[in-house]
Amino acid sequence: MSRFRNLIHTSISSIRSSTTCKPSHHRPFFHMPISHFTTSTKSTPSTLPDLFSSNSSVLGPTEPNEKPRIVVMASGWAGCSLMKAIDTNVYDIVCVSTRNHMVFTPLLASTCVGTLEFRSVAVPLHRIQPVIDSTPGSYFFPARCTTIDTDDHVIHCETVTDGSGSNTLEPWKFKVSYDKLIIASGAEALTFGINGVKEHAIFLREVSHAQEIRRKLLLNLMLSDVPGISVEEKSRLLHCVVVGGGPTGVEFSGELSDFIIRDVRERYSHVKDYIHVTLIEANEILSSFDVRLRQYAMKQLTKSGVHLVRGVVKDVQSQKIILNDGTEVPYGLLVWSTGVGPSTFISSLQFPKSRGGRIGVDEWLRVPSVQDVFSVGDCSGYLESTGKQPLPALAQVAERQGKYLAHLLNQIGKAGGGHANAAGDIELGAPFVYKHFGSMASVGSYKALVDLRESKEGKGLSLAGFVSWFIWRSAYLTRVVSWRNRFYVAVNWATTFVFGRDISRI
Amino acid sequence: MSRFRNLIHTSISSIRSSTTCKPSHHRPFFHMPISHFTTSTKSTPSTLPDLFSSNSSVLGPTEPNEKPRIVVMASGWAGCSLMKAIDTNVYDIVCVSTRNHMVFTPLLASTCVGTLEFRSVAVPLHRIQPVIDSTPGSYFFPARCTTIDTDDHVIHCETVTDGSGSNTLEPWKFKVSYDKLIIASGAEALTFGINGVKEHAIFLREVSHAQEIRRKLLLNLMLSDVPGISVEEKSRLLHCVVVGGGPTGVEFSGELSDFIIRDVRERYSHVKDYIHVTLIEANEILSSFDVRLRQYAMKQLTKSGVHLVRGVVKDVQSQKIILNDGTEVPYGLLVWSTGVGPSTFISSLQFPKSRGGRIGVDEWLRVPSVQDVFSVGDCSGYLESTGKQPLPALAQVAERQGKYLAHLLNQIGKAGGGHANAAGDIELGAPFVYKHFGSMASVGSYKALVDLRESKEGKGLSLAGFVSWFIWRSAYLTRVVSWRNRFYVAVNWATTFVFGRDISRI
């Protein structure tokens, strides 16, 4: 493969030197032969060997004298913490993902209402692992994996070109050979098969979702003031409904009520009495938290004007949702956050599965039925044979699994087992053990919950209020992966405190 | 009108108090009657008088005992500087615009490559004029004006709902009565009727354009590294072509070359040799500048790797442009910045026009053929009868016209001429006089041009280099309208200097 790469590079340089016009600094303007464009285009086919025919859309297997290649599928918490900790002297890294950044998901809710900028919660991959795209053999490919061929150690991918204009390339298929494959493609938002959720609700899992929520919220605020709108429509437009009372739903509701209390009342005073937030949950809100904290959260949310409703959604229509008891809830903005389940891609894989349909892994996070395949994060769970329950779909689980697996792979690589089918008798050491560090959730108005118990039944510190909120902010700030983002988050928080939230709809 | 408003407000409060369930803080969770939604929805039509039938989509004329209403069409430099300086004790302000923020256009080019955040160059309207949306009688409507009825002092508008999801309202039409109308809707990018420009090129006039350029540039960078791409395609994808050598085109080329030199070479080292910038101009670049500065700019751009080409574009296709001499220029990103001309809306208006098809105004910026209509900024120009040339389409012209007109209107309003058809014999004072403060343009690599001559033929200071760049930055920083944005721009510049540019594609 390296020879192949060299061959390409040589050919490229020869083309470039023959066709590119190197600007001379002292030559006067416009004396450059602009015909070099046409020349370049026309001459390329004849000077270039046919390296890039259909069968060259392959990043082929590594040679024994090359570094082994780790292929990481996706760039979420698990994949990124793994890539960060991989010893790049031992391995090359190829990341296949639809986005070139990691999203700091716990702070995503704050971006919808302008407390934080979108850029502050997106950490570019090169800040997580600088070798990607900058050293030979390590790449980022903007693509999604479609199938895995474990016999040949190859994944099949297709490029993603969404959101681009008309004159970009059509998506194309390519293959990447791996020595070690890490499936860390995460989970998908659960809709429980309810009609209309995917069409009308917005999830809160990607920066693009937060952007959509923000644009819609601000547009609704602006439209609700235009002559010709009925009182009914105005109330509907400004009714924000959140379905799902987990940490994401609660934090988003809290941010929204902060936004309403602090910013809407002052700046959109014509419509301030029409805007309302309703949080719908079928069971308890924040069910993983201590009962005392749950009650505190409920009280706090209610106090900030969030309307808490126990209900089960039956049907989602374009302007209203219908609950099981027949109640109709008109809405202008619907955010859906009822937990996650296996994605279509994960379900399509023919590996043994854990409870809940995730990829089944053993205690070393290997997919035991095949060679050199591992899985971490929300898409994986312990096989029943391990006698363990799948771990919760949390950022802290994913992050620690990624880190553990990176160290395991580093160790395997250093022992000479980095290449495909070479890790046979290497001692793996201790299996992955998850220790829960506690849970946190903000509930708006400078209040948060911190539950430091190891399990739901365990004992330990739990607290709520301003001190928790301070812990919540500090803890998240230290968890933000790059210094640049950390700096920006701190600046954003300070600016919001001083100037209020930004409401430009861009 | 105020009575009408009161009537609505009273009706609304009675509905609200009868149907909204005010949460009690001590009541336990989920005891709230969730059926209030259905009740509310169903009861509204019966309790509400039919205030909002089709003919109520009107913001009717002001009464003599109310403040007169200034309607400002659009929120660019001219409209915003006017709104900022209007005495809100004298007038109510209604702004009709497709965006709720002003764009600090001179810094827009810097956002495409991540030197600045998008939010830093967007100034929300409420920071420019806080009364809008927060005091009765002053509004912002997200809409575009379709026709003007000068006899009845009414504009016809249609809401804009672009970019929102499926469950928002359909656009609707409404009317706004004005006492004074300010047409400040700007100009449109010129395409000279060249086929394909609108379909394939990106202009650089709105934040959305900068976002599109950024997304495309980063996607092209990422895609150019994926297996299966040919060398030809790679060179094409990474060829950025800028058409138009005015300040915008030059500054964008400079930013792009800075981005390539400082960020691409380091972070995308696989593809760094393929990325190129070409600037195509039919005449001289920066033709309004001193000849010495022009030469400096050309030298500087060439030194940073920008390929300067004199040529006339004949045809734009999806992956290449064709010049007049038949040269084909393949591109991956095409930015079009060849100046501006009258928009379709301005052309459709039946007012006398100035040279170049702008709305003709007299020396007090009035549209003389009708009562109470004024026009400022790029959409207006002196009538030939004034004996003056239309002023250049520059931010500084628009800004100063807006400010002048605000003072004129304040004076008219204080003299009792604020209402429609009431300004008959009020003394207007001195006409608008434009004094050119000079021109600036950055050319990348911490270099800029500053031309302080009053006219092209005049004498005065002109300088180029790092000192100019420093002046350029400082001058722009002080011109940024809000303190919040000023703070963010400064933080962005500092961050870019320390950490480099952000390359997350969100």
Side-chain angles (χ1 to χ4, degrees):
Chain A
M1 187 57 207
S2 69
R3 287 188 302 274
F4 180 65
R5 274 201 296 268
N6 287 339
L7 187 57
I8 301 175
H9 281 177
T10 320
S11 320
I12 289 166
S13 358
S14 67
I15 300 164
R16 298 206 57 75
S17 55
S18 70
T19 57
T20 308
C21 172
K22 208 183 168 98
S24 146
H25 301 164
H26 302 291
R27 230 195 289 185
F29 186 33
F30 297 136
H31 285 200
M32 252 156 258
I34 56 173
S35 57
H36 87 278
F37 294 114
T38 357
T39 324
S40 148
T41 322
K42 284 181 185 153
S43 68
T44 312
S46 56
T47 47
L48 234 198
D50 192 17
L51 289 173
F52 286 96
S53 60
S54 62
N55 39 358
S56 73
S57 50
V58 175
L59 189 63
T62 55
E63 302 283 329
N65 59 347
E66 290 180 308
K67 279 196 246 176
R69 180 187 304 139
I70 289 183
V71 174
V72 182
M73 223 179 266
S75 52
W77 280 93
C80 287
S81 84
L82 178 123
M83 286 188 277
K84 192 183 169 93
I86 284 290
D87 185 339
T88 54
N89 293 318
V90 178
Y91 291 101
D92 282 338
I93 302 174
V94 171
C95 177
V96 176
S97 175
T98 53
R99 58 176 197 217
N100 76 342
H101 56 273
M102 178 194 146
V103 181
F104 193 82
T105 41
L107 293 178
L108 198 53
S110 305
T111 62
C112 303
V113 295
T115 312
L116 292 176
E117 313 282 318
F118 299 117
R119 204 72 59 78
S120 303
V121 302
V123 189
L125 278 192
H126 77 92
R127 295 199 183 274
I128 293 167
Q129 182 44 270
V131 305
I132 290 176
D133 275 328
S134 67
T135 58
S138 285
Y139 298 95
F140 168 77
F141 296 143
R144 54 172 56 88
C145 174
T146 49
T147 45
I148 301 175
D149 177 351
T150 51
D151 293 337
D152 288 345
H153 277 59
V154 164
I155 62 168
H156 296 243
C157 306
E158 188 172 90
T159 56
V160 287
T161 53
D162 57 286
S164 65
S166 54
N167 51 356
T168 306
L169 293 171
E170 286 294 299
W172 71 93
K173 292 178 163 51
F174 63 96
K175 298 181 202 171
V176 180
S177 296
Y178 61 83
D179 289 302
K180 309 288 173 205
L181 176 67
I182 321 301
I183 308 173
S185 57
E188 264 176 22
L190 281 176
T191 62
F192 307 103
I194 297 164
N195 179 42
V197 178
K198 283 193 180 150
E199 291 80 2
H200 306 299
I202 311 177
F203 303 111
L204 188 47
R205 296 174 49 74
E206 300 284 345
V207 172
S208 61
H209 297 152
Q211 286 169 326
E212 196 183 343
I213 291 172
R214 182 181 168 81
R215 285 183 65 79
K216 195 162 213 166
L217 180 64
L218 291 175
L219 183 65
N220 288 353
L221 269 166
M222 297 189 300
L223 282 176
S224 62
D225 211 15
V226 175
I229 196 164
S230 69
V231 172
E232 258 182 285
E233 273 298 76
K234 194 165 179 168
S235 296
R236 177 186 75 75
L237 272 187
L238 296 179
H239 189 208
C240 306
V241 175
V242 182
V243 179
T248 307
V250 167
E251 293 200 345
F252 177 67
S253 307
E255 284 282 351
L256 209 50
S257 65
D258 274 3
F259 175 60
I260 293 168
I261 293 168
R262 177 139 185 227
D263 301 84
V264 174
R265 293 216 178 139
E266 183 191 325
R267 289 179 205 156
Y268 292 99
S269 50
H270 299 160
V271 297
K272 65 175 191 288
D273 297 329
Y274 292 84
I275 188 162
H276 286 285
V277 183
T278 298
L279 174 60
I280 300 179
E281 164 62 50
N283 302 300
E284 297 280 338
I285 65 162
L286 298 175
S287 56
S288 67
F289 282 79
D290 184 329
V291 60
R292 204 175 52 81
L293 295 185
R294 280 209 300 274
Q295 281 166 350
Y296 177 87
M298 276 161 26
K299 199 176 127 193
Q300 198 55 47
L301 287 171
T302 310
K303 206 165 143 187
S304 339
V306 176
H307 192 141
L308 299 172
V309 169
R310 177 169 281 181
V312 175
V313 176
K314 193 170 72 180
D315 189 35
V316 176
Q317 298 176 5
S318 71
Q319 306 197 344
K320 63 183 175 194
I321 57 178
I322 296 168
L323 303 186
N324 252 355
D325 63 0
T327 315
E328 299 192 351
V329 187
Y331 69 85
L333 174 73
L334 177 61
V335 174
W336 194 270
S337 141
T338 55
V340 294
S343 67
T344 326
F345 171 68
I346 294 299
S347 302
S348 78
L349 297 175
Q350 295 302 312
F351 300 130
K353 299 283 160 71
S354 77
R355 266 196 5 182
R358 304 187 193 181
I359 295 176
V361 292
D362 67 11
E363 291 169 283
W364 291 269
L365 310 179
R366 298 178 296 186
V367 178
S369 51
V370 288
Q371 281 290 308
D372 299 318
V373 180
F374 303 79
S375 183
V376 279
D378 296 358
C379 65
S380 76
Y382 285 125
L383 282 164
E384 280 195 51
S385 57
T386 60
K388 292 188 172 180
Q389 295 290 325
L391 293 169
L394 293 175
Q396 60 176 316
V397 173
E399 192 198 10
R400 266 173 285 148
Q401 284 187 333
K403 202 167 170 186
Y404 165 84
L405 187 56
H407 291 139
L408 184 67
L409 290 169
N410 289 344
Q411 182 191 325
I412 292 172
K414 281 171 191 160
H419 283 278
N421 300 311
D425 354 308
I426 292 165
E427 180 57 55
L428 294 183
F432 176 72
V433 178
Y434 175 67
K435 191 172 174 314
H436 188 65
F437 281 0
S439 311
M440 296 188 296
S442 80
V443 291
S445 320
Y446 304 102
K447 305 284 192 305
L449 317 175
V450 173
D451 190 342
L452 297 177
R453 299 170 309 154
E454 268 187 47
S455 72
K456 211 175 157 178
E457 294 73 33
K459 289 201 169 162
L461 187 66
S462 66
L463 62 159
F466 178 77
V467 174
S468 302
W469 175 85
F470 192 78
I471 295 174
W472 174 81
R473 282 226 163 160
S474 318
Y476 277 167
L477 200 54
T478 58
R479 303 306 296 164
V480 171
V481 184
S482 94
W483 275 104
R484 183 183 189 280
N485 289 69
R486 209 170 290 169
F487 172 72
Y488 258 120
V489 169
V491 167
N492 284 171
W493 277 338
T495 323
T496 300
F497 187 76
V498 176
F499 297 101
R501 290 173 180 82
D502 182 277
I503 56 161
S504 53
R505 183 172 179 270
I506 55 173
Chain B
M1 186 58 206
S2 70
R3 287 188 303 272
F4 180 65
R5 274 200 298 265
N6 286 341
L7 186 59
I8 302 177
H9 281 176
T10 319
S11 322
I12 289 164
S13 358
S14 67
I15 300 165
R16 297 204 58 73
S17 55
S18 68
T19 56
T20 310
C21 171
K22 206 183 169 100
S24 146
H25 302 163
H26 302 290
R27 230 194 288 185
F29 188 32
F30 296 136
H31 284 200
M32 252 157 260
I34 55 170
S35 56
H36 87 280
F37 294 116
T38 358
T39 322
S40 147
T41 320
K42 285 182 185 153
S43 68
T44 311
S46 55
T47 47
L48 234 198
D50 192 16
L51 290 175
F52 287 95
S53 60
S54 62
N55 39 356
S56 74
S57 51
V58 175
L59 188 62
T62 55
E63 302 281 331
N65 58 347
E66 290 180 306
K67 277 195 248 176
R69 181 186 305 139
I70 289 183
V71 174
V72 182
M73 224 181 265
S75 52
W77 279 93
C80 288
S81 85
L82 179 123
M83 288 188 276
K84 192 184 170 92
I86 284 290
D87 185 339
T88 53
N89 292 318
V90 177
Y91 290 101
D92 282 337
I93 302 174
V94 171
C95 177
V96 176
S97 176
T98 53
R99 59 178 196 217
N100 76 344
H101 56 272
M102 178 194 147
V103 180
F104 195 82
T105 41
L107 294 177
L108 197 54
S110 305
T111 62
C112 303
V113 295
T115 312
L116 292 175
E117 313 283 318
F118 299 117
R119 205 72 59 79
S120 304
V121 302
V123 189
L125 278 192
H126 77 92
R127 294 198 184 276
I128 293 167
Q129 183 44 271
V131 306
I132 290 176
D133 276 327
S134 69
T135 57
S138 285
Y139 298 93
F140 168 77
F141 297 141
R144 55 170 56 88
C145 174
T146 50
T147 45
I148 302 175
D149 178 351
T150 51
D151 293 337
D152 288 344
H153 277 59
V154 164
I155 62 168
H156 296 245
C157 307
E158 189 172 89
T159 57
V160 287
T161 54
D162 57 288
S164 63
S166 54
N167 52 356
T168 306
L169 294 170
E170 288 291 301
W172 71 92
K173 291 180 164 49
F174 62 96
K175 297 181 204 171
V176 180
S177 297
Y178 60 84
D179 290 302
K180 309 288 172 204
L181 175 67
I182 322 301
I183 307 173
S185 57
E188 264 177 23
L190 282 175
T191 63
F192 307 103
I194 298 164
N195 179 43
V197 179
K198 283 194 179 149
E199 293 78 4
H200 306 299
I202 311 177
F203 303 111
L204 188 46
R205 296 175 49 76
E206 300 283 346
V207 172
S208 61
H209 297 151
Q211 285 169 328
E212 195 184 343
I213 290 172
R214 182 181 168 83
R215 286 184 64 81
K216 195 161 215 166
L217 180 64
L218 290 174
L219 183 66
N220 287 353
L221 269 165
M222 296 189 299
L223 282 176
S224 61
D225 212 14
V226 174
I229 195 163
S230 69
V231 171
E232 259 181 286
E233 273 297 76
K234 196 166 179 167
S235 295
R236 177 186 74 77
L237 272 186
L238 296 178
H239 189 208
C240 306
V241 175
V242 182
V243 178
T248 308
V250 167
E251 292 199 347
F252 177 68
S253 307
E255 284 283 350
L256 209 51
S257 67
D258 273 3
F259 174 61
I260 294 168
I261 292 168
R262 174 138 188 225
D263 302 84
V264 174
R265 293 216 177 138
E266 181 190 329
R267 291 180 203 156
Y268 292 99
S269 49
H270 298 160
V271 297
K272 66 175 192 288
D273 298 329
Y274 291 86
I275 187 162
H276 287 285
V277 183
T278 298
L279 175 59
I280 301 179
E281 164 62 51
N283 301 300
E284 297 280 338
I285 66 163
L286 298 174
S287 56
S288 67
F289 282 77
D290 183 329
V291 60
R292 204 175 52 81
L293 296 185
R294 280 209 301 273
Q295 281 167 349
Y296 178 86
M298 276 161 26
K299 199 176 128 195
Q300 198 56 46
L301 288 169
T302 309
K303 205 164 143 188
S304 338
V306 177
H307 192 139
L308 299 173
V309 169
R310 177 169 282 182
V312 175
V313 176
K314 191 170 74 180
D315 189 35
V316 176
Q317 299 176 6
S318 70
Q319 307 196 344
K320 63 183 176 194
I321 56 178
I322 297 167
L323 302 186
N324 252 357
D325 63 0
T327 315
E328 299 192 349
V329 186
Y331 68 85
L333 174 74
L334 177 61
V335 174
W336 194 269
S337 142
T338 54
V340 295
S343 67
T344 325
F345 171 67
I346 295 298
S347 301
S348 77
L349 297 175
Q350 295 302 314
F351 300 129
K353 299 284 162 67
S354 77
R355 266 195 7 182
R358 304 186 190 180
I359 295 176
V361 292
D362 67 11
E363 291 169 282
W364 292 268
L365 310 179
R366 297 178 297 186
V367 177
S369 50
V370 289
Q371 280 290 308
D372 298 317
V373 180
F374 303 79
S375 184
V376 280
D378 296 359
C379 64
S380 76
Y382 286 125
L383 282 164
E384 282 196 51
S385 57
T386 62
K388 292 186 172 184
Q389 294 290 325
L391 294 168
L394 292 175
Q396 58 175 318
V397 173
E399 192 198 10
R400 266 174 284 148
Q401 284 187 332
K403 202 168 170 187
Y404 166 84
L405 187 55
H407 291 140
L408 184 66
L409 290 169
N410 289 344
Q411 184 191 325
I412 292 173
K414 282 172 190 160
H419 283 279
N421 300 313
D425 354 306
I426 292 165
E427 180 58 53
L428 295 182
F432 175 73
V433 178
Y434 176 66
K435 191 174 174 313
H436 189 66
F437 281 0
S439 312
M440 296 189 295
S442 81
V443 292
S445 319
Y446 304 103
K447 304 285 193 305
L449 317 176
V450 172
D451 190 343
L452 297 178
R453 299 170 309 154
E454 270 189 46
S455 72
K456 214 175 153 179
E457 295 73 33
K459 286 199 171 165
L461 187 66
S462 67
L463 60 159
F466 178 76
V467 174
S468 302
W469 176 86
F470 192 78
I471 295 174
W472 174 81
R473 282 224 162 161
S474 317
Y476 278 166
L477 201 55
T478 57
R479 303 306 295 164
V480 171
V481 183
S482 95
W483 274 102
R484 182 182 190 282
N485 289 68
R486 210 170 290 169
F487 173 71
Y488 258 120
V489 169
V491 167
N492 284 172
W493 277 338
T495 324
T496 300
F497 187 77
V498 176
F499 297 103
R501 290 173 180 82
D502 182 277
I503 56 160
S504 53
R505 183 173 178 270
I506 55 172

